[in-house]
Amino acid sequence: MHITRLLCMLALLFVLGCRQTPDTQPQVQHDITTPIRSDDERIKRLAPFIPLADSIIMRYANESHIPGLAYGIVLDGKLIHARFSGISNLKENTPVYTNTTFRIASMTKSFTTMAILILRDQGLLSLDDPASKYIPDMKGIKYLTTDAPGITVRDLMTHRAGFPEDNPYGDRQLSDTEQELMDLIKQGPSFSNVPGIRYEYSNLGVSLLGTIIKNITNQPYQKFIADNIFKPLGMEHTYWEFSNVPARDLAHGYRWINNDFKEEELLHDGAWGGMGGLLTTIDDFSKYMNLHLAAWPPRDGEDDGPLKRSSIREMHQLWNLNSVGAGFTYPTGRLCPTVSGYGFGLRIAKDCENRVSIGHGGGLPGFGSHWLIMPDYGLGIAIFSNRTYANWGGINLQIMDTLIALAGMKPHQVKSKILEQRKQELMQLLPEWKDAEKLHIFAENFFPDYPIDSLRKEARSLFEKAGPVKNVSAMNPLNNLRGSFDIEGEKARLRVFFTLSPEPDPKIQEYHISELRSDQ
C-alpha cells in the first residue's frame, strides 16, 4: 500500500474519532456489538480496523438523523462482526437488537432474479424467451416504435425493458394486487425507450418477474422464493408480510422532516413485492451474502446450494452498462476511474485497481439499506436502517476500501500447476537460453516471434544489472494460463511475464522480462 494512502486512512480515523453526536439524534437506548469470533488469520488481520468501520457508520447515522440501524461484516463465510444501535420503534422506545427485522426494499431484487435462474436451471424457462410467453397479457403491449423487439425475461432482470425509471412511484405500489398489476399491463404501460438498448431502473420490470415465477410454478412467487432460497439457507427470520413479524422485532420506518420524525405507513405484501418487499435481519442476510461469496473462486467440489455456483457467478456479470466514472474518487481523495452497470438484480462495478464490487441499495418510505461484496476478497457488508432513503452505498464502499487497504488484504489467487511448472522450466534456461529450441515447452509461434539471439542478449543484460539471484517469487497468476513471477537480485529486481497456449499441453507463447522500479 502506498504511504500516502495509509496516511489518509489514519487521518480519517483521527477525524472520525473526534466527531460529536448531534443533539437532534434520539438518545440511543441500546447498542449491541457482536465481536470478532474466529481465529482465522485473515480475520485477525482485519480485526484491529473494525472500530474504524463502526466510526464511519455511526458518524453517518448521527449526521443523517437515523433512528436505528443494524449492520454486519462477513468474511470467508462467517459473520465476523455485527452491531445493533438506536431505536426500532420510537413510540414504544424499542431498541434495535439482534432479531430486529428491517424492510430491505430493493435489496429484494436479487432474490427474485435468483429464483428466475433456479427455474432456468430446471429447464422451465429461457432468459431470452419473450416475457409474453409467461405473461400472456404482455402480448398486446404497444412499444415506442414499430421496430421495437419484444421484452425478454433477461430485459426484465437487467433493467433494459424500456420502462421509465419509477422511483418513487414504484415504492407506493408494494401492496397492489396481481389484478391491479395486470390491469396496468393490459392498459398499456408507457415507455421511455425501446427494449434491449439502454439501462433504466424499473421496479415494474422486476415485479413482472414475480408474475412469471407465479405463472410457471402455479404458486405465489413469495412461497417459491421462501421454499427454494430462505429455507435452504436457514433464513428463519425473513418475511414478505410485515404483520407476520413479531411486534418487538419489527422496525418501524421514519422520515426526518421539519426537524422531527414522521412515521411512514408500512405497506402490506402484494404483487410488487418481488422488487422490494422483503423484511429480514442481519444474521439472516449474512447467510445470503455468504452464498454469493461462496460462488468464488470457481473450483471443483460439491455444488449443492440453492443455486449452482456458476449461476450465481452469472448474476455477478455486468449485463447492462450504466456508466463510466472517469472522475470517480475514493473518500481518501485518490482518483480511480470506475465502470458500472447491472447484472441480474445486482449492481456491478470494476475500479481502476481491477477490484469488482457487487451489491444493491434499498430505499422505501421509512427505510434505507445497502449491501456490498467484493468476491475476490471474500469480504462483504450489509447495513439496514429505518429512515427514508438513507443512502449507505458510499459508506459501504468507503468501509470496504478502508478495510482492504489497512488490513493489507489480497484477492484470492488462482493456483495453477502448469504455470508453476513453466516457471521452473524458464528459470533453468535464464539467462543463457541454452538449447531452448530443443525443449517442448514453447509454442510453435514462440521462436519466430522471439529470436533466440535477442532473448539471450536481453536476459544477460538484465541479469548482469540485477546481480546474483537471491530469491525467486512464487507465481502471481492472472488466470490459469497467464501470470508473472519476480527474480530478486542483489542490485535489482526483475519481472518475468508469460502466457501459455490453448493446446492440450499448454506451452509458452508469449514472454517478457523487465527491470522493476523501486516502487513496484
Side-chain angles (χ1 to χ4, degrees), residues 286-299:
S286 71
K287 299 171 184 176
Y288 182 67
M289 282 198 291
N290 283 325
L291 173 67
H292 282 267
L293 287 168
W296 298 91
R299 60 195 182 276

Side-chain angles (χ1 to χ4, degrees), residues 141-144 148-152 154-156 158-166 189-202 204-205 320:
I141 285 179
K142 292 184 178 180
Y143 297 103
L144 279 178
I151 295 170
T152 67
R154 189 187 301 272
D155 291 335
L156 297 175
T158 58
H159 295 307
R160 65 181 193 193
F163 296 133
E165 185 276 321
D166 55 1
S190 296
F191 287 87
S192 56
N193 290 293
V194 299
I197 62 171
R198 284 191 177 86
Y199 169 90
E200 190 158 3
Y201 192 80
S202 173
L204 171 60
N320 194 1

